[in-house]
Amino acid sequence: MQTPLTSAKATVGLGLRRGLMKDLQAAPVGAFDFLEVAPENWIGIGGAHGAAFRALAERYPLSCHGLSLSLGGPAPLDVGFLQEVRVFLDHHKVPLYSEHLSYCSDDGHLYDLLPLPFTEEAVRHVAARIRQSQDILGRRLAVENVSYYAAPRQDMDELTFTNAVLREADCDLLLDVNNVYVNSINHGFDPQTFLAGIDAGRVVAMHVAGHFDESDTLKIDTHGASVKPVVWSLLAEAYARFGVQPTLLERDFNFPAFSELVSELQTIRRLQQGEHRG
């Protein structure tokens, strides 16, 4: 029987990846509290994978993190897809649906999360699309700050742009702590200043993940490695700033022994408990 994800903010989760399916099915009670899924990967899926998904969805609360809505894109929003997502969220009683503050399609899918220009025009454009999405979904949407390696145009910095979108759209933020760190190195800003500048009332969930150290001045967000100590420290600072929030450990490939993932989940729990005691 599911327990609501919203019953406690001090919860930890893993992404439901097909490469982890057997481990997730065999996981001991208490290893994790919720599973995050991309709805477009599971809507209408049948066969053995669909059966395994439904069994896990009956055991664990779900959080949904989309991949293909393309909130900042130039093409019209896919209203039919949003309507399907709403049915999926309602059916599985999903409390949180998030998407990326980026775009990934025009006439077709580009299979990457591309950065938006940090301009007033882009703020208005993406905020209008978020509001439209929220109207169709019948619920608030959380957007995630993304990693990026070049910006088309920067009339403002990332923090100012992010806050402007959150205010204009009146939506929430899924704070990716690893992305804050990666961007801070790649673009030369202070990550603590970024955290301090975000409206605390907008943060409803967090992501933490590993990255690849290309050099001292270039970090690549991979989701294919263990979380670095500096990112754990930044997560602790995020809890101090925003309070404990449901936190997902992102791992998309190069999966280690499941016990290693559980150990990282336990690190998240320790950081959450430390903030709770404080």
Side-chain angles (χ1 to χ4, degrees), residues 78-91:
D78 189 337
V79 172
F81 168 67
L82 278 166
Q83 291 169 338
E84 288 184 327
V85 169
R86 178 171 182 166
V87 171
F88 184 89
L89 299 177
D90 289 344
H91 177 76

Side-chain angles (χ1 to χ4, degrees), residues 2 5 37 61-65 88-97 139:
Q2 286 188 3
L5 179 58
V37 301
L62 299 183
S63 179
C64 282
H65 187 50
F88 184 89
L89 299 177
D90 289 344
H91 177 76
H92 293 289
K93 299 180 175 60
V94 179
L96 175 68
Y97 177 48
R139 52 176 45 81

Side-chain angles (χ1 to χ4, degrees), residues 36-54:
E36 184 188 82
V37 301
E40 49 266 69
N41 287 345
W42 297 101
I43 290 173
I45 296 297
H49 284 303
F53 165 74
R54 289 189 294 274

Side-chain angles (χ1 to χ4, degrees), residues 119-140:
T119 65
E120 291 288 351
E121 181 182 10
V123 168
R124 292 191 296 271
H125 174 72
V126 71
R129 290 163 70 87
I130 293 170
R131 291 195 302 269
Q132 181 186 358
S133 298
Q134 292 183 143
D135 288 344
I136 296 168
L137 293 166
R139 52 176 45 81
R140 292 177 70 83

Side-chain angles (χ1 to χ4, degrees), residues 31-187:
F32 54 87
D33 305 312
F34 68 92
L35 290 169
E36 184 188 82
V37 301
E40 49 266 69
N41 287 345
W42 297 101
I43 290 173
I45 296 297
H49 284 303
F53 165 74
R54 289 189 294 274
L56 284 169
E58 289 175 0
R59 290 174 57 194
Y60 297 101
L62 299 183
S63 179
C64 282
H65 187 50
L67 299 171
S68 58
L69 189 52
S70 199
L71 285 171
L77 281 172
D78 189 337
V79 172
F81 168 67
L82 278 166
Q83 291 169 338
E84 288 184 327
V85 169
R86 178 171 182 166
V87 171
F88 184 89
L89 299 177
D90 289 344
H91 177 76
H92 293 289
K93 299 180 175 60
V94 179
L96 175 68
Y97 177 48
S98 59
E99 252 288 1
H100 301 85
L101 188 54
S102 64
Y103 75 101
C104 60
S105 67
D106 189 2
D107 289 334
H109 282 284
L110 303 173
Y111 301 102
D112 204 353
L113 300 173
L114 300 177
L116 299 174
F118 297 156
T119 65
E120 291 288 351
E121 181 182 10
V123 168
R124 292 191 296 271
H125 174 72
V126 71
R129 290 163 70 87
I130 293 170
R131 291 195 302 269
Q132 181 186 358
S133 298
Q134 292 183 143
D135 288 344
I136 296 168
L137 293 166
R139 52 176 45 81
R140 292 177 70 83
L141 182 68
V143 294
E144 181 192 34
N145 57 298
V146 299
S147 58
Y148 64 100
Y149 306 94
R153 178 170 172 173
Q154 291 183 294
D155 293 347
M156 61 187 81
D157 61 22
E158 181 189 357
L159 174 61
T160 303
F161 177 77
T162 302
N163 279 332
V165 169
L166 296 175
R167 288 192 301 268
E168 181 77 13
D170 190 21
C171 66
D172 295 321
L173 179 68
L174 189 164
L175 179 67
D176 191 307
V177 175
N178 185 63
N179 287 350
V180 172
Y181 175 74
V182 165
N183 289 349
S184 75
I185 297 299
N186 294 344
H187 304 289

Side-chain angles (χ1 to χ4, degrees), residues 175 177 195 206-208 227 229-241 245 247 267-268 271-272:
L175 179 67
V177 175
L195 292 182
M206 296 182 189
H207 278 181
V208 66
V227 179
V230 66
V231 177
W232 286 131
S233 295
L234 197 62
L235 179 62
E237 293 183 38
Y239 288 151
R241 163 75 173 131
Q245 302 293 340
T247 302
T267 299
I268 297 173
L271 294 175
Q272 291 180 334

